[in-house]
Amino acid sequence: MLTFIITAGGIGKRMGGSVPKQFLLLNDKPILMHTIEQVHAFDTSAELIVTLPVDYLKDWEEMCTKYTFTIPHQVVPGGDERFDSIKNALEKASGEWIAVHDGVRPFISKSVLNQLLTEVKSHRAVIPVIPVKETLRIADGETNATVHRDHYRIVQTPQVFEAKLLKKAYEQKYATSFTDDASVVEAIGARVHLVPGNDENIKITTPLDLSLAALILKNWK
């Protein structure tokens, strides 16, 4: 069985305003609902676990009632760090494979999901990435220099893992170097395999992202 952990435990400071970004409306309903619908449409039998800010658990219940949102999912409280939120969710996860996905990425393609779930069976840890299009420079104080963008990739979610591997990785103590689940798994010596992601799979973190998401949604299938 497959478990999807949809992490939405943050408060979205970069978006501004008083409402966490995952609850902002994208066209007709909260962003998080769009994300859950995409995942559920891909695999209706998958176990869905959603991490939410502790102070917004009741708000989410009210939103589900208001928007008649009935897709089955478990809710777990988020922690101080993303690491803590995922660790809480892993205690509830029962799938053989676990996909961890950002709650504010509602446009993951089915073809990418299929490839991730195929590749994880032989690589144990797989993540979607896209090429860097802009020129990059590395800056260190007053020194800066161009770097070869072909050597870099932009990381997306969902990141998919063998359950035993991911749970073992989350037994270690939190470190500030843990920026995503792949970095947590790498810290115990595991290798991470890359697969091509899709450009539409943006992370909605700013007002401009929200405007772009509305345009993507008009042509999304």
Side-chain angles (χ1 to χ4, degrees):
M1 186 177 77
L2 172 64
T3 295
F4 265 95
I5 295 175
I6 301 175
T7 178
I11 59 174
K13 295 178 181 178
R14 281 175 288 180
M15 183 68 75
S18 59
V19 179
K21 59 191 177 185
Q22 59 270 31
F23 301 139
L24 292 176
L25 297 187
L26 174 57
N27 285 20
D28 58 342
K29 58 194 164 192
I31 295 169
L32 180 57
M33 290 184 182
H34 286 279
T35 303
I36 295 173
E37 286 175 349
Q38 287 292 317
V39 169
H40 181 67
F42 172 74
D43 185 349
T44 57
S45 67
E47 177 182 53
L48 302 182
I49 302 173
V50 180
T51 73
L52 293 172
V54 174
D55 294 339
Y56 285 88
L57 298 179
K58 183 64 176 177
D59 298 75
W60 177 246
E61 289 182 12
E62 294 173 354
M63 287 179 211
C64 288
T65 299
K66 178 179 179 179
Y67 293 95
T68 318
F69 190 75
T70 58
I71 293 176
H73 62 281
Q74 300 179 61
V75 173
V76 298
D80 293 337
E81 303 289 344
R82 184 182 186 282
F83 179 91
D84 302 308
S85 299
I86 301 303
K87 192 168 185 176
N88 291 345
L90 286 173
E91 294 179 2
K92 303 287 186 179
S94 59
E96 181 182 5
W97 311 102
I98 298 176
V100 185
H101 191 46
D102 294 323
V104 289
R105 288 188 189 267
F107 302 116
I108 179 66
S109 79
K110 290 182 179 179
S111 62
V112 172
L113 283 167
N114 278 321
Q115 186 171 2
L116 287 167
L117 293 170
T118 297
E119 298 285 343
V120 74
K121 294 175 182 177
S122 54
H123 294 285
R124 303 183 71 202
V126 295
I127 65 174
V129 299
I130 58 174
V132 176
K133 299 179 179 67
E134 292 83 0
T135 296
L136 293 179
R137 294 185 73 84
I138 185 169
D140 183 8
E142 295 298 319
T143 303
N144 65 87
T146 301
V147 296
H148 294 289
R149 65 185 176 196
D150 290 347
H151 297 167
Y152 295 88
R153 297 292 183 272
I154 296 171
V155 177
Q156 300 180 325
T157 69
Q159 300 184 357
V160 187
F161 307 89
E162 179 188 70
K164 292 179 181 178
L165 175 64
L166 188 61
K167 290 180 178 181
K168 180 181 178 181
Y170 270 89
E171 291 175 358
Q172 63 190 313
K173 292 182 179 180
Y174 169 73
T176 55
S177 59
F178 295 160
T179 56
D180 64 358
D181 303 283
S183 58
V184 178
V185 167
E186 283 179 321
I188 62 169
R191 296 187 64 180
V192 175
H193 182 67
L194 308 181
V195 303
N198 61 293
D199 288 334
E200 302 92 342
N201 188 21
I202 63 171
K203 186 176 183 181
I204 303 172
T205 58
T206 69
L208 179 59
D209 294 333
L210 188 58
S211 297
L212 177 58
L215 290 174
I216 295 173
L217 187 60
K218 288 182 180 180
N219 299 304
W220 186 253
K221 295 180 180 180

